[in-house]
Amino acid sequence: MSNPYRDEFPPVTRIPARGRGRDEILTMMRELRDREEARWSDGFASGSVYHGDPDHVAFLSEVYTLHSQTNPLHADLWPSITKFDGEIVRMTAAMLNGGDEVVGTVSSGGTESILLAMKAYRDRGHQNGIERPAMIVADTAHAAFDKAAQYFGIDKITVPHAADGRADAAATAAAITPSTVVIVGSAPNFPNGLIDPIEELAALAADRGIGMHVDACLGGFVLPWAEKLGYAVPPFDFRVAGVTSMSADTHKYGYAAKGTSVVLYRGNELRHLQYYTTASWSGGLYYSPTFAGSRPGALIAQCWAAMVAMGEDGYLDAVRRIVETATAVKAAVRAIPGLDVIGDPLFDVAFRSDEVNIWGVLDEMSKRGWSLNGLQHPAAMHLCVTLRHTRPGVIDRFAADLAACVEYVREHPDAGHDMAPVYGMAQMTELTDAVEQGIAEYVDKLYEV
Ligand SMILES: Cc1ncc(COP(=O)(O)O)c(C=O)c1O
C-alpha cells in the first residue's frame, strides 16, 4: 500500500534548492489525479465521495479559489466567513428541526464534531463534581467516541447492540451510573446503517437530566429529506425532547468538499464548554470556537455554497435517487444465496453470511476494483450508497461482481490470503489483538516516502 509511485515519481525529501516550475507541478498533480479518479468516480467505493459530479466539483473549487486566503481566526478581516459559518449552523439546525435555542459551530469533520461535544459533556460533568465522567455508547457507535474517551479521560461504557442491530435501550438503562454524563445514539450508525431507538435513549437521558448526543454525521443530510419523501424515518432529531446535541456532516451527504461538519447543541451552555477563550495570554485576547486555531475559511465558504446551491429540491432529488439505488442494492444482495442483509437500512447496506467467509468475499471484491468496508461483530461488509452509485450500470456491475465473488469464495475457502493485512486473510472473522498491535506500523508504512 505504501507509496506506489516511488519509482515513477522519485520522492521529494528535501525542499528543492531551486523551485520547480508551476507547469511541471501541475502536470504531475493532474497525472496523479487522473489515475486515481476513475475508481471513486465510477462508483467503486463505499461512501468516500458523496456527490462528485464534475460540474459540482468545479463549482466548489471555484468558490474555494475565491476564498483561499481566508481564516476565520481573523474575524475582523473576513467577516464574510463568519457570516457563512453562522448561516451553515442555522440552516443545519432548521433542517434538523431545532428552534432558536439550538446553536452550534462548523468543525472540520464528523470526528471533530463528536470530540467537541464529548469534551463539552465531560466539562459539564466536572462542573457537577463528577471526577471521572462516563459516556454510554453502543458497540456500533463510531470509533470517534472511543477517540474522545481516550483523548479527554472519559470512561466509555460500551453496550452490545440488540439482536435487531440497533442500540439496546434496556441494556443502556442498566449501564447508567451517577458518573454518566451522556448517552450516544446514531442515526444511522456506520457499520450496519441502522437508526438507533433515539426516542427511548433520549427518554432515559431526560429522565436522569444527562446529555443525549445523536450522531447524525452520516444521516443528518439524508433522513430529513427521506422523511419528506415519505420513507419511514423514526424520530431522531431535535423534535425528540431529550436530545441535547447532534453532529451532522456537511462533507458527506451535505455535498461539500472534505473538511466540514456541524455540531449542534440545545442551548448555549454546552457550546460555551467547547469554546477555548483566554484573556491572559501575552499574545493578547484569544478565542477559538473549535479545536483548530487558524482554519480554512475557503472550506466554510464552499460548504455554504454547496448547501445553498443544492437547495431543498436538490437534496430531495439526491435522496430519492440514493434510497432507490439502495433498494436495488438490498434486492441484489438478497438474491445471492448465502448472503443476508442486516436489518432494513435506508442507504448504508451491510450484509453477512452463514455460508461463506464474508471477508474473503470482501477481498475478492477488492481484486475487482471495489473499495468496500469490512465490519466485525458480526463479520460483515457494507456498501454505503452515494450519488456515485446512482449512475446507470453501477449496481448491475456490483451485483454481478458480488455474485461471482461469493461463488469463488464458496469454491476457494482460502481466498483472500494475499490481501491487505488489516482486513485480510479469509480465515479471520474478527480483528485480533495481533492486528491491533500491528496497526501503528501499518500506518507508518503508509506514509513512508
Ligand atoms: C456515523 C458516523 N459518525 C462519525 C463519522 C466520522 O466522520 P469523519 O470521518 O468525517 O470524521 C462517520 C464517518 O463515516 C460516521 O459514519
Side-chain angles (χ1 to χ4, degrees):
M1 270 276 246
S2 74
N3 190 1
Y5 301 115
R6 195 169 288 135
D7 297 334
E8 220 179 332
F9 299 94
V12 180
T13 56
R14 279 175 176 270
I15 295 172
R18 288 175 62 85
R20 283 191 193 167
R22 289 176 182 165
D23 283 347
E24 184 192 335
I25 294 170
L26 284 169
T27 302
M28 176 207 174
M29 294 282 177
R30 281 198 191 95
E31 207 175 317
L32 295 176
R33 191 270 318 262
D34 290 348
R35 286 183 198 194
E36 294 173 359
E37 195 173 73
R39 264 177 88 207
W40 66 258
S41 178
D42 291 345
F44 278 99
S46 174
S48 310
V49 177
Y50 293 77
H51 194 303
D53 281 357
D55 57 338
H56 182 74
V57 174
F59 168 64
L60 298 187
S61 302
E62 198 173 333
V63 176
Y64 188 97
T65 305
L66 285 172
H67 291 279
S68 69
Q69 300 307 300
T70 64
N71 176 1
L73 190 63
H74 306 284
D76 58 328
L77 285 178
W78 293 291
S80 59
I81 301 300
T82 43
K83 164 195 150 64
F84 293 141
D85 194 308
E87 290 175 10
I88 291 167
V89 170
R90 292 287 14 117
M91 285 191 278
T92 308
M95 179 185 70
L96 296 170
N97 293 296
D100 290 345
E101 81 287 5
V102 171
V103 297
T105 53
V106 177
S107 76
S108 63
T111 298
E112 189 183 4
S113 289
I114 289 166
L115 293 177
L116 287 164
M118 294 305 110
K119 181 215 169 286
Y121 287 115
R122 182 203 64 177
D123 290 357
R124 191 165 72 172
H126 286 164
Q127 282 178 350
N128 292 339
I130 299 171
E131 208 175 303
R132 180 91 184 172
M135 63 167 92
I136 302 182
V137 300
D139 57 356
T140 44
H142 195 271
F145 292 96
D146 187 58
K147 200 177 202 178
Q150 291 190 26
Y151 282 6
F152 303 133
I154 305 170
D155 278 338
K156 189 187 64 145
I157 313 298
T158 305
V159 175
H161 59 270
D164 65 4
R166 305 181 310 146
D168 186 332
T172 302
I176 297 173
T177 71
S179 297
T180 309
V181 292
V182 60
I183 295 173
V184 171
S186 304
N189 71 52
F190 170 85
N192 63 33
L194 300 177
I195 303 170
D196 288 334
I198 301 299
E199 277 184 303
E200 289 174 60
L201 297 173
L204 294 174
D207 197 41
R208 271 96 175 158
I210 57 178
M212 168 74 205
H213 182 85
V214 176
D215 178 15
C217 282
L218 200 54
F221 281 80
V222 175
L223 301 184
W225 313 114
E227 185 186 340
K228 281 200 165 67
L229 289 167
Y231 293 103
V233 176
F236 74 100
D237 61 15
F238 285 106
R239 283 172 293 185
V240 180
V243 171
T244 51
S245 61
M246 295 187 72
S247 43
D249 286 0
T250 38
H251 73 186
K252 294 190 174 80
Y253 293 98
Y255 306 124
K258 277 288 175 272
T260 59
S261 164
V262 178
V263 56
L264 296 170
Y265 301 99
R266 195 191 293 277
N268 218 2
E269 180 217 340
L270 282 166
R271 181 166 69 161
H272 280 185
L273 290 171
Q274 78 157 52
Y275 286 173
Y276 174 79
T277 60
T278 179
S280 60
W281 181 37
S282 54
L285 178 70
Y286 187 94
Y287 58 88
S288 69
T290 62
F291 290 133
S294 291
R295 286 192 293 157
L299 287 182
I300 294 167
Q302 63 80 35
C303 174
W304 184 94
M307 292 171 76
V308 172
M310 287 297 296
E312 286 200 9
D313 55 343
Y315 282 120
L316 284 167
D317 181 57
V319 168
R320 185 184 50 72
R321 285 160 56 204
I322 285 169
V323 175
E324 279 172 7
T325 304
T327 305
V329 171
K330 286 185 278 187
V333 173
R334 288 180 182 132
I336 299 173
L339 294 189
D340 297 306
V341 175
I342 299 176
D344 190 24
L346 199 58
F347 61 93
D348 175 16
V349 183
F351 45 96
R352 52 180 297 279
S353 177
D354 285 328
E355 298 178 13
V356 293
N357 186 310
I358 201 73
W359 287 8
V361 176
L362 175 72
D363 286 347
E364 289 305 310
M365 288 292 274
S366 303
K367 290 178 191 166
R368 289 171 182 246
W370 291 92
S371 175
L372 306 173
N373 298 95
L375 317 164
Q376 58 181 341
H377 313 138
M381 59 194 275
H382 78 206
L383 173 65
C384 188
V385 176
T386 72
L387 285 174
R388 303 321 302 157
H389 307 112
T390 64
R391 296 154 67 245
V394 175
I395 296 312
D396 290 344
R397 188 181 64 211
F398 171 78
D401 281 348
L402 187 61
C405 290
V406 169
E407 209 38 54
Y408 183 84
V409 173
R410 224 184 256 287
E411 285 162 16
H412 303 84
D414 283 343
H417 273 291
D418 53 336
M419 295 307 289
V422 167
Y423 284 146
M425 298 197 292
Q427 304 311 322
M428 281 170 59
T429 51
E430 192 167 305
L431 299 178
T432 59
D433 286 351
V435 173
E436 171 125 22
Q437 275 150 30
I439 298 177
E441 282 74 33
Y442 174 80
V443 176
D444 290 345
K445 280 211 169 57
L446 282 180
Y447 290 96
E448 257 169 27
V449 296

